[in-house]
């Protein structure tokens, strides 16, 4: 039976990140895509121009509309920019208890535009982070969460442990910002798992974090173990970057449907 995966995130009219990337990723993994919008974001491949938060009541209504009608097998949470948004999502997820919750702590866009107001950082850590089956911070986000600089793989391990101590069941510290390589480290609460990756010289990196966390949520919903879900998600994003089409004038999106296009004979 097809699994149902819910994105709770902001929009992206250029289609490369946010709810658009989440839903494309769910579909690419054979899941039915559901989405709740937390903010309407004006952005494209060149950056974020502005955004407007959806009211807490409307966010709650959207979540109710989904869960009262459809069984949800996993939830991926992305942009939650203000404390009120964080609290209403946490309250609703406590009410409905989905099997898996994957949180991508979106704080700053690739372009440098801040997407989480400073006063929401503590709310995120105290209210939402402890609900995560998996939290997927990149290096800058992990530094904000821990208050410590991360320079080495050992630092990444220590950051993962520190964030897990805040309540997350598992933490994937993403190494895409590392100069030497693109190694990610998963701490599952007991053991560390290393995911070594080759660095691709590409400008098609818009929405990679959204897509990775959504792929993990899809893989968990489809029955993969956490280590395997992360490994398969990393490979999915790598192939998406490697085979991306040139879209936009800035950092374009990955190719979310590369494997499907290949099977259909539509790739070069």
């Amino acid at each position: 039976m097809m699994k149902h995966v819910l994105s709770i995130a902001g929009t992206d009219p250029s289609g490369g990140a946010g709810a658009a990337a989440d839903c494309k990723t769910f579909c690419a993994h054979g899941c039915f895509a559901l989405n709740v919008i937390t903010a309407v974001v004006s952005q494209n491949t060149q950056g974020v121009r502005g955004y407007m938060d959806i009211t807490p009541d409307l966010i709650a209504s959207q979540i109710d509309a989904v869960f009262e009608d459809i069984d949800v097998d996993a939830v991926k949470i992305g942009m939650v920019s203000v404390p009120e948004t964080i609290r209403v999502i946490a309250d609703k997820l406590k009410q409905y208890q989905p099997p898996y919750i994957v949180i991508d702590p979106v704080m700053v866009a690739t372009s440098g535009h801040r997407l989480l107001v400073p006063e929401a950082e503590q709310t995120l850590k105290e209210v939402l982070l402890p609900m995560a089956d998996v939290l997927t911070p990149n290096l800058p986000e992990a530094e904000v969460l821990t208050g410590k600089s991360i320079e080495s793989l050992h630092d990444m391990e220590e950051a993962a442990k520190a964030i897990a101590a805040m309540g997350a069941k598992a933490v994937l510290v993403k190494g895409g910002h590392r100069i030497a390589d693109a190694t990610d480290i998963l701490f599952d609460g007991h053991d560390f798992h290393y995911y070594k990756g080759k660095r691709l010289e590409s400008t098609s990196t818009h929405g990679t974090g959204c897509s990775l966390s959504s792929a993990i949520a899809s893989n968990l919903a489809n029955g993969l173990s956490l280590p395997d879900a992360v490994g398969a998600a990393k490979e999915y994003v790598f192939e998406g970057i490697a085979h991306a089409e040139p879209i936009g004038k800035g950092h374009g999106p990955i190719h979310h449907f590369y494997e499907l296009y290949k099977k259909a004979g539509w790739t070069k």
Side-chain angles (χ1 to χ4, degrees), residues 25-40:
T25 301
F26 300 157
C27 293
H29 286 78
C31 299
F32 186 82
L34 309 160
N35 67 280
V36 165
I37 299 303
T38 59
V40 177

Side-chain angles (χ1 to χ4, degrees), residues 45-171:
T45 66
Q46 299 179 84
V48 175
R49 301 182 179 195
Y51 66 86
M52 180 179 68
D53 292 302
I54 302 299
T55 64
D57 285 347
L58 188 52
I59 293 172
S61 179
Q62 291 179 79
I63 295 174
D64 287 336
V66 171
F67 279 93
E68 290 174 3
D69 186 43
I70 300 170
D71 292 330
V72 176
D73 298 293
V75 174
K76 176 270 168 94
I77 302 173
M79 181 181 174
V80 287
S81 59
V82 293
E84 295 79 10
T85 295
I86 294 169
R87 292 192 186 99
V88 73
I89 292 171
D91 287 345
K92 284 299 176 182
L93 293 184
K94 287 176 184 175
Q95 176 182 345
Y96 292 113
Q97 296 288 312
Y100 298 105
I101 299 174
V102 179
I103 300 177
D104 183 23
V106 180
M107 296 179 174
V108 181
T110 303
S111 61
H113 194 104
R114 192 174 186 91
L115 298 176
L116 180 72
V117 299
E119 57 266 30
E121 289 176 8
Q122 195 63 29
T123 308
L124 177 70
K125 288 196 280 188
E126 293 178 356
V127 176
L128 200 56
L129 189 152
M131 301 183 69
D133 290 289
V134 192
L135 193 83
T136 63
N138 59 30
L139 294 184
E141 291 160 350
E143 289 180 336
V144 171
L145 289 170
T146 62
K148 296 181 180 179
S149 176
I150 301 174
E151 302 291 341
S152 65
L153 294 176
H154 175 73
D155 291 342
M156 291 173 68
E157 288 187 356
E158 291 301 307
K161 287 196 295 184
I163 296 169
M166 299 175 191
K169 294 184 181 69
V171 180

Side-chain angles (χ1 to χ4, degrees), residues 203-238:
T203 59
S204 298
T205 55
H206 183 51
T208 50
C210 305
S211 303
L212 180 70
S213 54
S214 295
I216 293 171
S218 301
N219 290 332
L220 290 172
N222 283 328
L224 270 64
S225 68
L226 177 57
D228 288 345
V230 172
K234 186 173 178 68
E235 181 64 22
Y236 168 75
V237 172
F238 178 88

Side-chain angles (χ1 to χ4, degrees), residues 186-198:
L186 171 69
F187 179 60
D188 63 10
H190 301 282
D191 301 309
F192 290 102
H193 304 265
Y194 271 64
Y195 300 88
K196 296 182 179 179
K198 294 179 290 184

Side-chain angles (χ1 to χ4, degrees), residues 2-14:
M2 179 183 289
K3 301 300 182 180
H4 312 141
V5 187
L6 170 64
S7 161
I8 302 179
T11 65
D12 176 6
S14 69

